[in-house]
Amino acid sequence: AADLLDRKTRRISTLQDICISQISANILRLQQSTDSKDDSISSQIRNTLGGISTQNMNKLARTLSKNRALNDHTLQLFLRTNLNTLTFHDCSKVSYEGYKLLAIFAPHLSELSLQMCGQLNNEALMYIEEKLPKLTSLDVDGPFLINEDTWDQFFRKMKGRLTSFHISNTHRFTNNSLRSLLENCGDSLKSLKLARLDDLSDYSMISKYLSNSSFERLAIEYPSREDYVTDDIVVETLSKVGSTIKHLSLNGCSELTDASFINAQPFLINKEAGVCLLQSLQLEELDQLTTDGLVYFISQTPMPLLKFCNFKRCFQLEDPALTELFLNDAARSLVTLVLNSLKEVRGDCFEIMACPNLTRLDMGFMPCAKDELVKKLGEQNPKLEILEVFGDNLISAKAQIRAGLTVIGRQSDTL
Amino acid sequence: MSDIVLVSKNDAEFTISLEAASISPVLKNMLSSAFMEGHQRRVELKEIDPHVLEKVADYLEYRYKYIDATEDEDLPEFEVPTEMSLELLLVADYLNI
């Protein structure tokens, strides 16, 4: 941005860009000079480029995605390996042919995550099912070419195999698709995420099918209409899987009220352990949640394993709700806490806040955030490394920041 | 202008100027914080192989040298050996350069 202001147009390529163009050029060259059916081509590519360990493969995938450089050519780097898990954060340039190659030449994959996979089509999905016999976990974001029929076919084939299914951002995943998923794989599923699915309206069937006794993760996020996900649905579902659940996300289900948490509370306590096993709890945008409701819920629910907690934009919450959280067992285990936009919080709750493991705190857009509070939070939370303060205009350049703590988003820090 | 030292695996050392090192936000942070690196003007990057770190040091100096280059100036290409490109990419990502 500074360059733009100075009217500089010349930019020296980043080292990452230089490396990536070098890598792409060589892959192209090798592909042209060898027969593409040759089995050794992928390892030849990797060897020419200096080799890479299997552990670094996912790091490489992340770096390529970050640079928007993952395509059918660079995909070659990941073929014919012993990889078990693979995450592509940005597949927007991978064509359906690329997915087919991946399915054929990476047969050991058991966990596959394809984000922004807009070009994944019906044929490629069925290829993935057919060619990856060990696949148990699939996470797809944006697979809008896959239609109802193919989902149904896919889930039938994956019956008994699928333990984790995450899907987001597609309008072609319908009530029928969800029914097929649950009927075929409901008893094996340990992890289910349904986010931003525009054509899905019947969330009530989830509770009828989930029956795995070690169910761990449930995410129902941003339904297309808020009244699709009601208190009854959440309570009913948690009555089935609540006692073992480790990760719960209800982000953007803004129809939910205190009733969800008050009524589901007993189901969240694991009988054997006597506590709640939740490790992460995300309740973004639940603006009907009240302080009284949450105080009751937290006071009744010891959460000694809770590491990640998100109350972003739960506008009604006031100090007592957070005080109750800081008095809970969770205070000792919390690593990340998001309090963004809690405008009713005055700040009294931070007096008793002492979280020995907290490393990250987001308190953006909280009117109570002041210079003194930054100092206090640094002192009371010895491991705090990152404090986000976007939109907190009372935090000035004078705030005393403990060594080792990074404060992000101060107005006075802008260039 | 003050110099700083980057230390790689096997304790090989590479000296570059502070200005060049500051091109990497990660190195800049390490050098400006109150951590040990700040006092000693040494940054230990012991995960990184010597020949890769040497290339990184070269790049930072190259980038710093031409940082004010205008549009019509001819810049030499920065050469990356093919056999190092994967490893270097991961390090470049880590250092955010």
Side-chain angles (χ1 to χ4, degrees):
Chain A
D3 278 351
L4 268 181
L5 288 176
D6 296 343
R7 310 248 164 140
K8 261 194 243 170
T9 45
R10 186 68 175 248
R11 274 196 58 234
I12 302 174
S13 324
T14 63
L15 188 53
Q16 294 179 60
D17 284 343
I18 299 174
C19 291
I20 288 171
S21 53
Q22 174 82 298
I23 292 167
S24 309
N26 275 288
I27 292 175
L28 266 181
R29 188 173 55 79
L30 281 166
Q31 272 179 330
Q32 277 157 6
S33 63
T34 25
D35 181 5
S36 62
K37 296 220 171 60
D38 184 356
D39 252 9
S40 62
I41 176 166
S42 300
S43 52
Q44 206 183 327
I45 289 171
R46 283 192 293 271
N47 287 338
T48 316
L49 297 171
I52 183 161
S53 63
T54 316
Q55 296 95 300
N56 274 336
M57 280 285 179
N58 272 301
K59 245 192 235 171
L60 179 68
R62 202 187 56 203
T63 306
L64 289 173
S65 295
K66 229 158 92 180
N67 285 284
R68 309 230 144 201
L70 188 74
N71 52 33
D72 289 358
H73 298 304
T74 45
L75 185 78
Q76 293 280 347
L77 291 166
F78 303 94
L79 305 183
R80 301 176 183 88
T81 62
N82 298 324
L83 276 183
N84 298 322
T85 66
L86 187 59
T87 301
F88 285 156
H89 296 277
D90 178 359
C91 307
S92 41
K93 289 183 189 157
V94 177
S95 76
Y96 69 97
E97 292 289 349
Y99 293 114
K100 279 161 71 178
L101 281 179
L102 184 69
I104 298 170
F105 295 118
H108 301 290
L109 285 178
S110 62
E111 294 174 24
L112 181 59
S113 167
L114 304 169
Q115 305 299 301
M116 303 193 219
C117 58
Q119 298 194 55
L120 183 74
N121 65 7
N122 294 322
E123 193 188 345
L125 182 72
M126 293 320 288
Y127 243 82
I128 287 176
E129 183 281 319
E130 189 186 334
K131 303 288 179 190
L132 300 180
K134 295 181 184 162
L135 190 72
T136 57
S137 160
L138 183 67
D139 182 338
V140 278
D141 173 65
F144 49 73
L145 293 180
I146 314 278
N147 60 23
E148 220 176 41
D149 275 353
T150 309
W151 281 126
D152 184 42
Q153 235 180 317
F154 177 75
F155 295 133
R156 281 171 197 276
K157 293 269 177 68
M158 291 298 284
K159 187 171 180 150
R161 273 213 274 159
L162 202 60
T163 58
S164 165
F165 184 70
H166 295 184
I167 184 166
S168 51
N169 284 308
T170 166
H171 59 286
R172 286 227 172 90
F173 194 85
T174 61
N175 290 335
N176 290 335
S177 314
L178 180 60
R179 185 169 300 112
S180 172
L181 165 68
L182 293 169
E183 277 177 1
N184 289 302
C185 309
D187 48 357
S188 62
L189 276 184
K190 289 181 184 171
S191 177
L192 174 65
K193 174 180 165 182
L194 305 166
R196 298 188 192 273
L197 300 172
D198 293 335
D199 224 15
L200 187 63
S201 56
D202 185 7
Y203 288 85
S204 63
M205 63 178 124
I206 297 175
S207 60
K208 298 193 188 94
Y209 292 98
L210 293 182
S211 58
N212 194 305
S213 58
S214 48
F215 193 87
E216 287 182 358
R217 182 186 294 262
L218 178 69
I220 299 177
E221 298 176 2
Y222 298 94
S224 61
R225 266 179 44 189
E226 61 177 23
D227 56 346
Y228 287 158
V229 180
T230 61
D231 288 329
D232 287 346
I233 290 176
V234 170
V235 173
E236 193 60 30
T237 308
L238 288 177
S239 74
K240 293 284 174 58
V241 297
S243 70
T244 55
I245 201 164
K246 291 179 180 166
H247 307 273
L248 177 64
S249 169
L250 297 167
N251 289 345
C253 299
S254 41
E255 176 84 358
L256 299 182
T257 66
D258 294 340
S260 278
F261 298 93
I262 294 172
N263 295 334
Q265 191 277 331
F267 306 122
L268 285 169
I269 304 288
N270 184 287
K271 293 270 168 0
E272 284 157 34
V275 294
C276 169
L277 302 181
L278 275 182
Q279 292 174 16
S280 74
L281 178 62
Q282 302 210 54
L283 305 175
E284 219 168 288
E285 307 232 2
L286 300 200
D287 51 7
Q288 299 194 56
L289 216 56
T290 68
T291 303
D292 290 346
L294 206 62
V295 165
Y296 174 80
F297 172 72
I298 298 176
S299 65
Q300 300 296 312
T301 318
M303 295 181 278
L305 305 172
L306 194 68
K307 292 197 178 96
F308 185 96
C309 186
N310 182 356
F311 292 135
K312 185 177 182 176
R313 296 171 70 85
C314 295
F315 288 126
Q316 292 196 46
L317 298 188
E318 297 160 321
D319 287 88
L322 299 182
T323 305
E324 199 59 49
L325 179 68
F326 299 143
L327 290 171
N328 194 287
D329 292 348
R332 277 190 291 279
S333 55
L334 269 179
V335 175
T336 302
L337 179 61
V338 181
L339 305 175
N340 196 302
S341 304
L342 300 190
K343 57 188 167 60
E344 301 298 331
V345 171
R346 297 281 154 81
D348 307 338
C349 57
F350 296 113
E351 293 297 327
I352 60 147
M353 179 192 192
C355 300
N357 290 304
L358 191 72
T359 57
R360 194 172 182 132
L361 175 63
D362 178 354
M363 50 187 310
F365 301 94
M366 286 179 79
C368 68
K370 298 194 178 90
D371 285 354
E372 305 88 75
L373 188 58
V374 172
K375 180 166 181 268
K376 186 198 286 281
L377 289 174
E379 286 165 356
Q380 292 175 187
N381 302 286
K383 282 198 183 162
L384 191 64
E385 285 171 12
I386 294 177
L387 178 63
E388 285 180 69
V389 297
F390 288 97
D392 298 337
N393 46 19
L394 294 176
I395 294 182
S396 71
K398 291 185 191 128
Q400 290 181 35
I401 301 169
R402 162 173 66 67
L405 174 63
T406 306
V407 175
I408 305 175
R410 262 192 310 181
Q411 213 168 7
S412 58
D413 289 339
T414 43
L415 294 170
Chain B
M1 190 193 280
S2 54
D3 286 344
I4 61 122
V5 178
L6 306 179
V7 187
S8 76
K9 201 187 266 178
N10 304 332
D11 293 320
E13 298 186 354
F14 304 96
T15 308
I16 59 171
S17 68
L18 178 63
E19 287 79 359
S22 300
I23 288 172
S24 157
V26 178
L27 290 180
K28 188 180 176 183
N29 229 334
M30 287 175 174
L31 289 161
S32 61
S33 66
F35 289 124
M36 206 167 60
E37 281 87 356
H39 297 294
Q40 301 192 343
R41 303 236 160 247
R42 275 167 72 87
V43 183
E44 300 211 338
L45 301 160
K46 298 229 163 164
E47 302 278 291
I48 304 175
D49 279 338
H51 63 288
V52 176
L53 193 60
E54 186 178 8
K55 206 70 199 169
V56 168
D58 286 351
Y59 174 79
L60 290 171
E61 289 289 6
Y62 161 87
R63 177 88 179 259
Y64 180 62
K65 186 173 169 192
Y66 295 109
I67 204 153
D68 290 322
T70 53
E71 230 171 304
D72 23 73
E73 234 173 291
D74 258 345
L75 297 193
E77 288 254 338
F78 186 77
E79 297 287 337
V80 171
T82 310
E83 65 281 3
M84 199 197 281
S85 47
L86 283 179
E87 223 182 328
L88 191 60
L89 175 61
L90 293 180
V91 174
D93 181 33
Y94 171 67
L95 295 173
N96 201 356
I97 49 175

